Amino acid sequence: MRRSVPVFAAVAGLLASAAIAVLSAAGPAQADVQICEQYGSTTIQGRYVVQNNRWGTTAQQCINVTDTGFSITRQDGQGNTSGAPVSYPSVFLGCHYTNCSPGTNLPMQVSQISSASSSINYNFVSGATYNASYDIWLDPTPKRDGVNQMEIMIWFNRQGSIQPIGSSVGSATVAGRTWDVWRGSNGSNNVISYLAPSPINSWNFSVLDFINDVRNRGAITNSWYLTSIQAGFEPWIGGTGLGVNSFSASVNGGGNPQPSNPPTSQPTNPPGGTPCRVAYTANSWNNGYTASVTITNTGSSTINNWSLTYNLPSGQQVGNAWNATVTQSGSAVTARNISWNGTIAPGGTASFGYQGTFSGTYSSPTSFSLNGSPCTRA
């Protein structure tokens, strides 16, 4: 599902979409199929899933599914334009809340992707409030269920007084077009949105271009996984007649795998007795936890390539990491920068995180060293 609204509205939609595990229609569409069930879905071309996904309203919504796409035939919901849309009817490749498209090769690690392309043809209507939205979902893990940590959203068309989540951070040229870029979080996942200055009803493009732009912004790394590609609409008011006339998407492997060895360039120690400060924030539950680590350069010289070392309490094990290469030997952990975040200017920061497991009672590490120099705790 999609969330392009404040967290108070998005959470309701997130909880509703979790029910997609009990989908009502699962067979391939041989002829036009009408779906009015809240989370009903079907497959087309033996390759894609089309879903109704009415998560933000109890009002009726129906879609007509064809061999190449779908159209909204009934939409009775009324959303608050400063809050959540009423639904996200869409067609997708990949996995969405355990519902995976037939024969999909997703999730796939970004470093393994050699190409990812898509084509889309929309049918727009007037007199309604909606966006034509194209979602690219990524996560640090090969996740097939639940919400992912990174959502890339391409706004092909915006009608009415609605806007992407967060705030505008400038413009960018991606895949040969200029976009207004917005960045924010809905409390459940981060969102980077690309807003077209005028409606685009048909386009063939590289999905990988958008993934690379988000990576270059530091929001993901090559170790993350692409989990799904989705195209549809977020209606707030009206929307009958909106349609995806055709959709295709293809993700090919054979890219460059993540290096297993650390960078060959050697870290340099900044001068001073305690040149760094480390903030370590953890969120634990049952036998799992996530850790967020921020390194601050408190010295007067730039740090070029960094290596942070510390010991985990007994029973803790590091899992998937992002924004750093994190290795563990016994209780000793070493986190090294990746290609784009190895420089920390005086007063600057570098951040990374990871998922982990533990046994017994959770506790955080207490001492850290950066390039061999001890750090203070934030």
Side-chain angles (χ1 to χ4, degrees):
M1 62 161 272
R2 265 278 309 123
R3 294 157 300 279
S4 60
V5 291
V7 63
F8 65 86
V11 170
L14 174 63
L15 294 176
S17 270
I20 200 168
V22 288
L23 299 163
S24 59
Q30 302 300 323
D32 288 9
V33 174
Q34 188 86 354
I35 299 177
C36 296
E37 294 85 358
Q38 184 173 7
Y39 302 112
S41 74
T42 189
T43 59
I44 61 173
Q45 301 176 36
R47 179 173 174 79
Y48 308 113
V49 175
V50 178
Q51 58 179 354
N52 195 28
N53 200 14
R54 174 175 54 85
W55 59 269
T57 180
T58 57
Q60 184 79 305
Q61 175 179 280
C62 297
I63 60 174
N64 183 68
V65 183
T66 69
D67 288 338
T68 59
F70 71 91
S71 61
I72 301 175
T73 56
R74 178 176 179 179
Q75 206 297 97
D76 297 340
Q78 291 281 320
N80 184 340
T81 55
S82 62
V86 299
S87 61
Y88 181 48
S90 56
V91 54
F92 69 85
L93 174 78
C95 295
H96 177 87
Y97 285 85
T98 72
N99 190 15
C100 294
S101 57
T104 184
N105 58 356
L106 301 180
M108 182 183 293
Q109 197 169 44
V110 170
S111 64
Q112 299 284 353
I113 300 173
S114 60
S115 65
S117 58
S118 184
S119 67
I120 183 73
N121 183 278
Y122 284 109
N123 184 66
F124 301 142
V125 298
S126 59
T129 300
Y130 65 91
N131 66 42
S133 52
Y134 192 105
D135 273 8
I136 304 165
W137 286 96
L138 301 109
D139 196 78
T141 65
K143 200 167 188 177
R144 292 175 172 84
D145 188 15
V147 66
N148 290 184
Q149 290 191 21
M150 184 71 237
E151 177 184 16
I152 303 172
M153 188 180 184
I154 308 172
W155 287 47
F156 279 70
N157 189 7
R158 171 177 63 170
Q159 297 295 316
S161 57
I162 55 175
Q163 66 182 38
I165 195 168
S167 59
S168 177
V169 294
S171 62
T173 299
V174 182
R177 291 180 179 268
T178 300
W179 310 86
D180 184 17
V181 183
W182 291 60
R183 190 164 183 171
S185 172
N186 59 30
S188 298
N189 58 270
N190 296 318
V191 186
I192 295 181
S193 302
Y194 298 83
L195 176 61
S198 59
I200 303 170
N201 74 319
S202 183
W203 195 29
N204 298 320
F205 66 101
S206 170
V207 172
L208 192 56
D209 286 352
F210 288 91
I211 294 174
N212 288 338
D213 187 73
V214 168
R215 182 200 59 204
N216 293 339
R217 294 173 185 274
I220 65 167
T221 71
N222 279 339
S223 66
W224 283 48
Y225 290 82
L226 171 64
T227 64
S228 68
I229 298 169
Q230 308 179 357
F233 298 92
E234 287 186 324
W236 270 260
I237 301 171
T240 298
L242 292 170
V244 172
N245 298 323
S246 64
F247 168 85
S248 68
S250 177
V251 180
N252 298 308
N256 297 317
Q258 280 290 95
S260 57
N261 296 320
T264 56
S265 54
Q266 295 299 312
T268 58
N269 287 319
T274 309
C276 51
R277 182 172 63 248
V278 172
Y280 189 98
T281 305
N283 179 32
S284 63
W285 66 93
N286 297 329
N287 294 320
Y289 71 97
T290 58
S292 177
V293 187
T294 299
I295 305 165
T296 301
N297 180 2
T298 58
S300 59
S301 299
T302 298
I303 299 171
N304 294 305
N305 298 306
W306 50 265
S307 176
L308 185 72
T309 57
Y310 53 95
N311 290 318
L312 288 177
S314 177
Q316 291 191 22
Q317 185 67 41
V318 170
N320 292 289
W322 50 94
N323 297 345
T325 300
V326 182
T327 58
Q328 181 175 357
S329 177
S331 63
V333 172
T334 301
R336 295 180 175 87
N337 67 273
I338 52 181
S339 60
W340 53 264
N341 67 352
T343 300
I344 311 178
T349 62
S351 298
F352 68 94
Y354 55 84
Q355 295 176 314
T357 60
F358 70 96
S359 58
T361 302
Y362 175 81
S363 60
S364 294
T366 57
S367 60
F368 303 86
S369 292
L370 186 69
N371 297 351
S373 298
C375 300
T376 59
R377 283 292 305 274

PDB file of all heavy atoms in Angstrom, residues 105-106 108-117 206-209 211-212 215 222 226 250-257:
ATOM      1  N   ASN A 105      11.284 -12.586  -9.384  1.00  0.00           N
ATOM      2  CA  ASN A 105      12.644 -12.731  -8.866  1.00  0.00           C
ATOM      3  C   ASN A 105      12.947 -11.704  -7.781  1.00  0.00           C
ATOM      4  O   ASN A 105      14.103 -11.535  -7.374  1.00  0.00           O
ATOM      5  CB  ASN A 105      13.671 -12.623  -9.996  1.00  0.00           C
ATOM      6  CG  ASN A 105      13.570 -11.295 -10.744  1.00  0.00           C
ATOM      7  OD1 ASN A 105      12.691 -10.469 -10.479  1.00  0.00           O
ATOM      8  ND2 ASN A 105      14.474 -11.081 -11.691  1.00  0.00           N
ATOM      9  N   LEU A 106      11.922 -11.004  -7.325  1.00  0.00           N
ATOM     10  CA  LEU A 106      12.057 -10.069  -6.214  1.00  0.00           C
ATOM     11  C   LEU A 106      11.651 -10.741  -4.905  1.00  0.00           C
ATOM     12  O   LEU A 106      10.784 -11.618  -4.915  1.00  0.00           O
ATOM     13  CB  LEU A 106      11.193  -8.827  -6.466  1.00  0.00           C
ATOM     14  CG  LEU A 106      11.499  -8.035  -7.736  1.00  0.00           C
ATOM     15  CD1 LEU A 106      10.575  -6.834  -7.841  1.00  0.00           C
ATOM     16  CD2 LEU A 106      12.950  -7.608  -7.799  1.00  0.00           C
ATOM     17  N   MET A 108      15.322  -8.567  -4.736  1.00  0.00           N
ATOM     18  CA  MET A 108      16.661  -8.701  -5.295  1.00  0.00           C
ATOM     19  C   MET A 108      17.538  -7.583  -4.730  1.00  0.00           C
ATOM     20  O   MET A 108      17.115  -6.431  -4.667  1.00  0.00           O
ATOM     21  CB  MET A 108      16.639  -8.621  -6.818  1.00  0.00           C
ATOM     22  CG  MET A 108      18.020  -8.810  -7.455  1.00  0.00           C
ATOM     23  SD  MET A 108      18.029  -8.640  -9.274  1.00  0.00           S
ATOM     24  CE  MET A 108      17.059 -10.091  -9.744  1.00  0.00           C
ATOM     25  N   GLN A 109      18.743  -7.945  -4.311  1.00  0.00           N
ATOM     26  CA  GLN A 109      19.663  -6.955  -3.773  1.00  0.00           C
ATOM     27  C   GLN A 109      20.034  -5.938  -4.852  1.00  0.00           C
ATOM     28  O   GLN A 109      20.266  -6.289  -6.012  1.00  0.00           O
ATOM     29  CB  GLN A 109      20.906  -7.637  -3.220  1.00  0.00           C
ATOM     30  CG  GLN A 109      21.735  -6.760  -2.286  1.00  0.00           C
ATOM     31  CD  GLN A 109      22.802  -7.565  -1.568  1.00  0.00           C
ATOM     32  OE1 GLN A 109      23.475  -8.386  -2.165  1.00  0.00           O
ATOM     33  NE2 GLN A 109      22.947  -7.326  -0.270  1.00  0.00           N
ATOM     34  N   VAL A 110      20.067  -4.666  -4.469  1.00  0.00           N
ATOM     35  CA  VAL A 110      20.328  -3.597  -5.433  1.00  0.00           C
ATOM     36  C   VAL A 110      21.642  -3.831  -6.162  1.00  0.00           C
ATOM     37  O   VAL A 110      21.749  -3.610  -7.374  1.00  0.00           O
ATOM     38  CB  VAL A 110      20.325  -2.230  -4.718  1.00  0.00           C
ATOM     39  CG1 VAL A 110      20.831  -1.127  -5.640  1.00  0.00           C
ATOM     40  CG2 VAL A 110      18.924  -1.900  -4.208  1.00  0.00           C
ATOM     41  N   SER A 111      22.666  -4.302  -5.453  1.00  0.00           N
ATOM     42  CA  SER A 111      23.969  -4.522  -6.084  1.00  0.00           C
ATOM     43  C   SER A 111      23.920  -5.592  -7.163  1.00  0.00           C
ATOM     44  O   SER A 111      24.781  -5.633  -8.047  1.00  0.00           O
ATOM     45  CB  SER A 111      25.002  -4.914  -5.029  1.00  0.00           C
ATOM     46  OG  SER A 111      24.660  -6.152  -4.425  1.00  0.00           O
ATOM     47  N   GLN A 112      22.901  -6.450  -7.135  1.00  0.00           N
ATOM     48  CA  GLN A 112      22.781  -7.533  -8.104  1.00  0.00           C
ATOM     49  C   GLN A 112      21.987  -7.136  -9.345  1.00  0.00           C
ATOM     50  O   GLN A 112      21.934  -7.885 -10.317  1.00  0.00           O
ATOM     51  CB  GLN A 112      22.098  -8.745  -7.451  1.00  0.00           C
ATOM     52  CG  GLN A 112      22.839  -9.328  -6.261  1.00  0.00           C
ATOM     53  CD  GLN A 112      24.050 -10.144  -6.659  1.00  0.00           C
ATOM     54  OE1 GLN A 112      24.278 -10.386  -7.843  1.00  0.00           O
ATOM     55  NE2 GLN A 112      24.842 -10.562  -5.695  1.00  0.00           N
ATOM     56  N   ILE A 113      21.341  -5.959  -9.313  1.00  0.00           N
ATOM     57  CA  ILE A 113      20.470  -5.548 -10.416  1.00  0.00           C
ATOM     58  C   ILE A 113      21.305  -4.950 -11.541  1.00  0.00           C
ATOM     59  O   ILE A 113      22.016  -3.963 -11.346  1.00  0.00           O
ATOM     60  CB  ILE A 113      19.416  -4.531  -9.936  1.00  0.00           C
ATOM     61  CG1 ILE A 113      18.548  -5.142  -8.832  1.00  0.00           C
ATOM     62  CG2 ILE A 113      18.542  -4.076 -11.097  1.00  0.00           C
ATOM     63  CD1 ILE A 113      17.588  -4.145  -8.189  1.00  0.00           C
ATOM     64  N   SER A 114      21.213  -5.550 -12.726  1.00  0.00           N
ATOM     65  CA  SER A 114      21.895  -4.993 -13.895  1.00  0.00           C
ATOM     66  C   SER A 114      21.002  -4.023 -14.646  1.00  0.00           C
ATOM     67  O   SER A 114      21.484  -3.073 -15.264  1.00  0.00           O
ATOM     68  CB  SER A 114      22.360  -6.112 -14.828  1.00  0.00           C
ATOM     69  OG  SER A 114      21.263  -6.880 -15.290  1.00  0.00           O
ATOM     70  N   SER A 115      19.699  -4.247 -14.621  1.00  0.00           N
ATOM     71  CA  SER A 115      18.745  -3.329 -15.245  1.00  0.00           C
ATOM     72  C   SER A 115      17.374  -3.537 -14.622  1.00  0.00           C
ATOM     73  O   SER A 115      17.042  -4.640 -14.176  1.00  0.00           O
ATOM     74  CB  SER A 115      18.663  -3.543 -16.757  1.00  0.00           C
ATOM     75  OG  SER A 115      18.144  -4.821 -17.062  1.00  0.00           O
ATOM     76  N   ALA A 116      16.594  -2.472 -14.588  1.00  0.00           N
ATOM     77  CA  ALA A 116      15.203  -2.533 -14.115  1.00  0.00           C
ATOM     78  C   ALA A 116      14.425  -1.505 -14.915  1.00  0.00           C
ATOM     79  O   ALA A 116      14.664  -0.300 -14.791  1.00  0.00           O
ATOM     80  CB  ALA A 116      15.112  -2.240 -12.618  1.00  0.00           C
ATOM     81  N   SER A 117      13.529  -1.965 -15.755  1.00  0.00           N
ATOM     82  CA  SER A 117      12.801  -1.066 -16.654  1.00  0.00           C
ATOM     83  C   SER A 117      11.304  -1.262 -16.494  1.00  0.00           C
ATOM     84  O   SER A 117      10.837  -2.303 -16.004  1.00  0.00           O
ATOM     85  CB  SER A 117      13.209  -1.319 -18.106  1.00  0.00           C
ATOM     86  OG  SER A 117      12.963  -2.668 -18.466  1.00  0.00           O
ATOM     87  N   SER A 206      13.654   3.813 -16.911  1.00  0.00           N
ATOM     88  CA  SER A 206      14.493   2.945 -16.086  1.00  0.00           C
ATOM     89  C   SER A 206      14.164   3.153 -14.612  1.00  0.00           C
ATOM     90  O   SER A 206      14.394   4.237 -14.059  1.00  0.00           O
ATOM     91  CB  SER A 206      15.970   3.229 -16.336  1.00  0.00           C
ATOM     92  OG  SER A 206      16.782   2.570 -15.381  1.00  0.00           O
ATOM     93  N   VAL A 207      13.641   2.127 -13.991  1.00  0.00           N
ATOM     94  CA  VAL A 207      13.401   2.160 -12.545  1.00  0.00           C
ATOM     95  C   VAL A 207      14.724   2.299 -11.804  1.00  0.00           C
ATOM     96  O   VAL A 207      14.819   2.954 -10.758  1.00  0.00           O
ATOM     97  CB  VAL A 207      12.662   0.875 -12.111  1.00  0.00           C
ATOM     98  CG1 VAL A 207      12.568   0.779 -10.597  1.00  0.00           C
ATOM     99  CG2 VAL A 207      11.271   0.825 -12.738  1.00  0.00           C
ATOM    100  N   LEU A 208      15.772   1.700 -12.360  1.00  0.00           N
ATOM    101  CA  LEU A 208      17.079   1.720 -11.708  1.00  0.00           C
ATOM    102  C   LEU A 208      17.627   3.142 -11.588  1.00  0.00           C
ATOM    103  O   LEU A 208      18.372   3.446 -10.646  1.00  0.00           O
ATOM    104  CB  LEU A 208      18.053   0.829 -12.472  1.00  0.00           C
ATOM    105  CG  LEU A 208      19.390   0.492 -11.796  1.00  0.00           C
ATOM    106  CD1 LEU A 208      19.181  -0.142 -10.434  1.00  0.00           C
ATOM    107  CD2 LEU A 208      20.215  -0.427 -12.685  1.00  0.00           C
ATOM    108  N   ASP A 209      17.257   4.032 -12.511  1.00  0.00           N
ATOM    109  CA  ASP A 209      17.708   5.426 -12.410  1.00  0.00           C
ATOM    110  C   ASP A 209      17.208   6.071 -11.121  1.00  0.00           C
ATOM    111  O   ASP A 209      17.938   6.831 -10.468  1.00  0.00           O
ATOM    112  CB  ASP A 209      17.218   6.226 -13.612  1.00  0.00           C
ATOM    113  CG  ASP A 209      17.981   5.904 -14.889  1.00  0.00           C
ATOM    114  OD1 ASP A 209      18.984   5.167 -14.802  1.00  0.00           O
ATOM    115  OD2 ASP A 209      17.564   6.363 -15.969  1.00  0.00           O
ATOM    116  N   ILE A 211      16.283   4.402  -8.335  1.00  0.00           N
ATOM    117  CA  ILE A 211      16.944   3.723  -7.226  1.00  0.00           C
ATOM    118  C   ILE A 211      18.346   4.288  -7.027  1.00  0.00           C
ATOM    119  O   ILE A 211      18.767   4.551  -5.883  1.00  0.00           O
ATOM    120  CB  ILE A 211      16.995   2.204  -7.479  1.00  0.00           C
ATOM    121  CG1 ILE A 211      15.579   1.615  -7.480  1.00  0.00           C
ATOM    122  CG2 ILE A 211      17.865   1.502  -6.431  1.00  0.00           C
ATOM    123  CD1 ILE A 211      15.524   0.144  -7.865  1.00  0.00           C
ATOM    124  N   ASN A 212      19.066   4.512  -8.109  1.00  0.00           N
ATOM    125  CA  ASN A 212      20.418   5.055  -8.004  1.00  0.00           C
ATOM    126  C   ASN A 212      20.412   6.470  -7.439  1.00  0.00           C
ATOM    127  O   ASN A 212      21.298   6.843  -6.657  1.00  0.00           O
ATOM    128  CB  ASN A 212      21.096   5.041  -9.371  1.00  0.00           C
ATOM    129  CG  ASN A 212      21.472   3.644  -9.824  1.00  0.00           C
ATOM    130  OD1 ASN A 212      21.618   2.740  -9.006  1.00  0.00           O
ATOM    131  ND2 ASN A 212      21.634   3.453 -11.126  1.00  0.00           N
ATOM    132  N   ARG A 215      19.888   6.187  -3.747  1.00  0.00           N
ATOM    133  CA  ARG A 215      21.130   5.708  -3.135  1.00  0.00           C
ATOM    134  C   ARG A 215      22.151   6.840  -3.028  1.00  0.00           C
ATOM    135  O   ARG A 215      22.818   7.001  -1.997  1.00  0.00           O
ATOM    136  CB  ARG A 215      21.716   4.564  -3.955  1.00  0.00           C
ATOM    137  CG  ARG A 215      22.995   3.949  -3.362  1.00  0.00           C
ATOM    138  CD  ARG A 215      23.756   3.195  -4.415  1.00  0.00           C
ATOM    139  NE  ARG A 215      24.127   4.079  -5.522  1.00  0.00           N
ATOM    140  CZ  ARG A 215      24.374   3.658  -6.752  1.00  0.00           C
ATOM    141  NH1 ARG A 215      24.268   2.378  -7.067  1.00  0.00           N
ATOM    142  NH2 ARG A 215      24.719   4.520  -7.693  1.00  0.00           N
ATOM    143  N   ASN A 222      23.719  -0.196  -1.618  1.00  0.00           N
ATOM    144  CA  ASN A 222      23.642  -1.308  -2.565  1.00  0.00           C
ATOM    145  C   ASN A 222      23.298  -2.624  -1.897  1.00  0.00           C
ATOM    146  O   ASN A 222      22.946  -3.599  -2.567  1.00  0.00           O
ATOM    147  CB  ASN A 222      24.961  -1.448  -3.329  1.00  0.00           C
ATOM    148  CG  ASN A 222      25.062  -0.473  -4.486  1.00  0.00           C
ATOM    149  OD1 ASN A 222      24.057   0.027  -4.967  1.00  0.00           O
ATOM    150  ND2 ASN A 222      26.274  -0.202  -4.922  1.00  0.00           N
ATOM    151  N   LEU A 226      15.390  -4.506  -3.491  1.00  0.00           N
ATOM    152  CA  LEU A 226      14.171  -4.079  -4.175  1.00  0.00           C
ATOM    153  C   LEU A 226      13.128  -5.166  -3.978  1.00  0.00           C
ATOM    154  O   LEU A 226      13.364  -6.329  -4.306  1.00  0.00           O
ATOM    155  CB  LEU A 226      14.455  -3.872  -5.656  1.00  0.00           C
ATOM    156  CG  LEU A 226      13.242  -3.621  -6.569  1.00  0.00           C
ATOM    157  CD1 LEU A 226      12.538  -2.324  -6.203  1.00  0.00           C
ATOM    158  CD2 LEU A 226      13.667  -3.619  -8.032  1.00  0.00           C
ATOM    159  N   SER A 250      10.314  -5.147 -15.531  1.00  0.00           N
ATOM    160  CA  SER A 250      11.273  -6.239 -15.622  1.00  0.00           C
ATOM    161  C   SER A 250      12.513  -5.871 -14.825  1.00  0.00           C
ATOM    162  O   SER A 250      13.036  -4.754 -14.968  1.00  0.00           O
ATOM    163  CB  SER A 250      11.643  -6.512 -17.078  1.00  0.00           C
ATOM    164  OG  SER A 250      12.619  -7.525 -17.174  1.00  0.00           O
ATOM    165  N   VAL A 251      12.975  -6.793 -13.981  1.00  0.00           N
ATOM    166  CA  VAL A 251      14.190  -6.598 -13.187  1.00  0.00           C
ATOM    167  C   VAL A 251      15.145  -7.729 -13.528  1.00  0.00           C
ATOM    168  O   VAL A 251      14.790  -8.904 -13.410  1.00  0.00           O
ATOM    169  CB  VAL A 251      13.887  -6.581 -11.679  1.00  0.00           C
ATOM    170  CG1 VAL A 251      15.176  -6.373 -10.881  1.00  0.00           C
ATOM    171  CG2 VAL A 251      12.871  -5.494 -11.342  1.00  0.00           C
ATOM    172  N   ASN A 252      16.346  -7.371 -13.948  1.00  0.00           N
ATOM    173  CA  ASN A 252      17.338  -8.364 -14.362  1.00  0.00           C
ATOM    174  C   ASN A 252      18.528  -8.348 -13.424  1.00  0.00           C
ATOM    175  O   ASN A 252      19.006  -7.279 -13.018  1.00  0.00           O
ATOM    176  CB  ASN A 252      17.809  -8.087 -15.791  1.00  0.00           C
ATOM    177  CG  ASN A 252      16.684  -8.173 -16.796  1.00  0.00           C
ATOM    178  OD1 ASN A 252      15.960  -9.170 -16.832  1.00  0.00           O
ATOM    179  ND2 ASN A 252      16.515  -7.136 -17.601  1.00  0.00           N
ATOM    180  N   GLY A 253      19.026  -9.549 -13.080  1.00  0.00           N
ATOM    181  CA  GLY A 253      20.192  -9.677 -12.226  1.00  0.00           C
ATOM    182  C   GLY A 253      21.475  -9.587 -13.029  1.00  0.00           C
ATOM    183  O   GLY A 253      21.495  -9.164 -14.177  1.00  0.00           O
ATOM    184  N   GLY A 254      22.560  -9.988 -12.385  1.00  0.00           N
ATOM    185  CA  GLY A 254      23.857  -9.957 -13.045  1.00  0.00           C
ATOM    186  C   GLY A 254      24.639  -8.699 -12.798  1.00  0.00           C
ATOM    187  O   GLY A 254      25.613  -8.419 -13.499  1.00  0.00           O
ATOM    188  N   GLY A 255      24.226  -7.900 -11.784  1.00  0.00           N
ATOM    189  CA  GLY A 255      24.977  -6.697 -11.443  1.00  0.00           C
ATOM    190  C   GLY A 255      26.221  -7.028 -10.656  1.00  0.00           C
ATOM    191  O   GLY A 255      26.684  -8.177 -10.626  1.00  0.00           O
ATOM    192  N   ASN A 256      26.756  -6.046  -9.984  1.00  0.00           N
ATOM    193  CA  ASN A 256      27.969  -6.238  -9.193  1.00  0.00           C
ATOM    194  C   ASN A 256      27.603  -6.545  -7.758  1.00  0.00           C
ATOM    195  O   ASN A 256      27.006  -5.711  -7.085  1.00  0.00           O
ATOM    196  CB  ASN A 256      28.844  -4.982  -9.245  1.00  0.00           C
ATOM    197  CG  ASN A 256      29.330  -4.683 -10.641  1.00  0.00           C
ATOM    198  OD1 ASN A 256      29.744  -5.586 -11.360  1.00  0.00           O
ATOM    199  ND2 ASN A 256      29.268  -3.414 -11.034  1.00  0.00           N
ATOM    200  N   PRO A 257      27.948  -7.729  -7.249  1.00  0.00           N
ATOM    201  CA  PRO A 257      27.619  -8.064  -5.865  1.00  0.00           C
ATOM    202  C   PRO A 257      28.376  -7.198  -4.882  1.00  0.00           C
ATOM    203  O   PRO A 257      29.431  -6.648  -5.205  1.00  0.00           O
ATOM    204  CB  PRO A 257      28.051  -9.535  -5.749  1.00  0.00           C
ATOM    205  CG  PRO A 257      29.091  -9.697  -6.792  1.00  0.00           C
ATOM    206  CD  PRO A 257      28.687  -8.796  -7.922  1.00  0.00           C
TER     207      PRO A 257
END
